[in-house]
Each structure stands twice: as C-alpha cells, then as structure tokens.
Amino acid sequence: GVTSIGASAFSNCTGLTEITLPDGVTSIGDRAFEACYSLTAITIPDGVTSIGDYAFCNCRSLTEITLPNGVTGIGTYAFVFCYSLTSITIPDSVTSIGDRAFYDCNSLTTVTIGNSVTSIGELAFASCTSLTSITIPDSVTSIGEGAFYGCGSLTTITLPNSVTSIGGYIFHGCESLTSITIPDGVTSIGEWAFWDCLSLTSITLPDSVTSIGDSAFESCESLTSITLPESVTSIGEWAF
C-alpha cells in the first residue's frame, strides 16, 4: 500500500546496504536516502514519476541505479557526491535535469541522456572527472552555467542545434577537450566558458554569434587559430 517515500525517510541510515521499493511507489521525497553511505543498490519501481531534491545525495557507495521510464524530472542535488556511480541512463520520459544533479560523481564514465530532456541545470555534471564523452540530444534547448565545469577527462561533446547560448563556465577546466563545434543559432559565448581548456586546438564559431564573454577562451594555450564571424559585435576582456 506504500505510494510514496517521504522527505528524509531513510536519511543518515548509514548501515543500510540495499533496499527494494514496492511497485505502488510513485514518488521519492527530498533527501529520502541522503547520506546512506553503505547503500550499494536500489531498485526503483516503474511507477515512480519524481525523484526529489537531494534524494540520493552522498550515497557514496551506490554503484548503479536504474531510472524507470516514467520519471519526468531529476531533482536538484539528486545524486550529488555519489562517488561510486559509474554510469547512468536518463530515460526518454525525463524532461529536466536539476542543478548539481550529478555534481562530483567522479567515477561516472557513461551518461546517456534521453530524447525528451529540454534543460540541463547549472553544474549538473560539474567535477565528473572520469566522464570522457557525452552526447546531448536535439531536445535540449538550455544548458546551465558550469554544467560540465571541471570535467577534466572530457575529450568530445556534441551540442545540438537547438542550443542558442553557451553559458558561463560551461566547459571551464575541461583540460582534455580537443575540439568543439558551436551549432548554428548560438548567439553568445558566456564568460569563462572555455577557460583553461588546455588541449583545445580548434573551434568553429557560426555566423550567428554576436558576443564573446570575458575570459571565454583564457588559458586555451593549445588554440592556434580561430575565425571570428562578421556577426560578432563585442569581445570581452581577456577573451583570448
């Protein structure tokens, strides 16, 4: 008869190693399993549609989790500090990934994002230092500031044509990123967007870009050439 797991229901149950939720559960509340340090596995039933803020925050032993095809949103800080999580598949039902949702999941190597996600929150995958590549589907229209900040192993990323702006700090410190193509339609490159991308050798800016923010390409020491389109009207301080 259980239909929901309430806020902080199992928070700080540090000895809990495994839990199975019944099929009737439709929601997992904020901080429901926060700081369950020993939790290694959890089965989320197909009926769950929402995962609350901080729901699995600091579940540092959690190695894998399957999100059912009914979840529509992943809350803010939902999986932050899940240091043992190696892969995640975000189903097609999800439309939004919250701010810092996977922040500092430093063992995360594989991320599959479903085709219904429209927004990726600020710092959503920041400091995922083992992440080497990621493909963002065409459904995504907004990527928050610092979304991939400090992803030092990220070598390739595909940005969809639906994205119209590159936010501040978005690839800050992605020191293994060698090249990136900015899609047609992007009008602005945010401040510090590619700061300290030490391996970046080439970048193509479309004719739609009108502004390049402060320090956007600062410390890109491997960048040998760049062509600025005639559409650019402003270049920020320390941009290159």
Side-chain angles (χ1 to χ4, degrees), residues 22-222:
D23 290 337
V25 172
T26 59
S27 66
I28 298 175
D30 296 347
R31 303 180 186 272
F33 297 94
E34 182 183 15
C36 288
Y37 298 143
S38 303
L39 187 65
T40 59
I42 186 169
T43 301
I44 299 180
D46 290 339
V48 171
T49 58
S50 66
I51 296 175
D53 298 342
Y54 297 87
F56 297 95
C57 167
N58 221 347
C59 288
R60 56 185 64 175
S61 298
L62 190 65
T63 57
E64 62 180 71
I65 190 166
T66 301
L67 300 180
N69 221 351
V71 172
T72 57
I74 298 173
T76 300
Y77 294 89
F79 295 95
V80 66
F81 306 140
C82 287
Y83 299 129
S84 300
L85 191 65
T86 58
S87 66
I88 188 79
T89 297
I90 297 169
D92 289 339
S93 56
V94 172
T95 58
S96 64
I97 300 172
D99 295 347
R100 293 175 171 83
F102 296 95
Y103 180 86
D104 211 14
C105 291
N106 52 29
S107 295
L108 193 63
T109 58
T110 305
V111 174
T112 302
I113 299 178
N115 292 320
S116 297
V117 171
T118 59
S119 64
I120 297 174
E122 293 182 5
L123 297 165
F125 295 95
S127 295
C128 289
T129 54
S130 297
L131 189 64
T132 57
S133 66
I134 189 169
T135 299
I136 300 174
D138 291 337
S139 56
V140 172
T141 57
S142 69
I143 302 174
E145 290 193 354
F148 300 96
Y149 177 107
C151 291
S153 299
L154 189 65
T155 57
T156 60
I157 188 165
T158 302
L159 296 176
N161 290 327
S162 50
V163 172
T164 57
S165 67
I166 306 296
Y169 303 87
I170 187 169
F171 298 108
H172 182 152
C174 292
E175 56 190 34
S176 299
L177 190 65
T178 56
S179 66
I180 189 169
T181 300
I182 306 298
D184 293 335
V186 168
T187 58
S188 63
I189 309 292
E191 61 181 5
W192 306 90
F194 295 93
W195 186 88
D196 215 19
C197 287
L198 303 177
S199 301
L200 189 66
T201 57
S202 65
I203 190 164
T204 302
L205 300 179
D207 291 336
S208 53
V209 172
T210 59
S211 65
I212 298 173
D214 294 347
S215 299
F217 296 94
E218 184 178 349
S219 296
C220 291
E221 58 186 35
S222 298

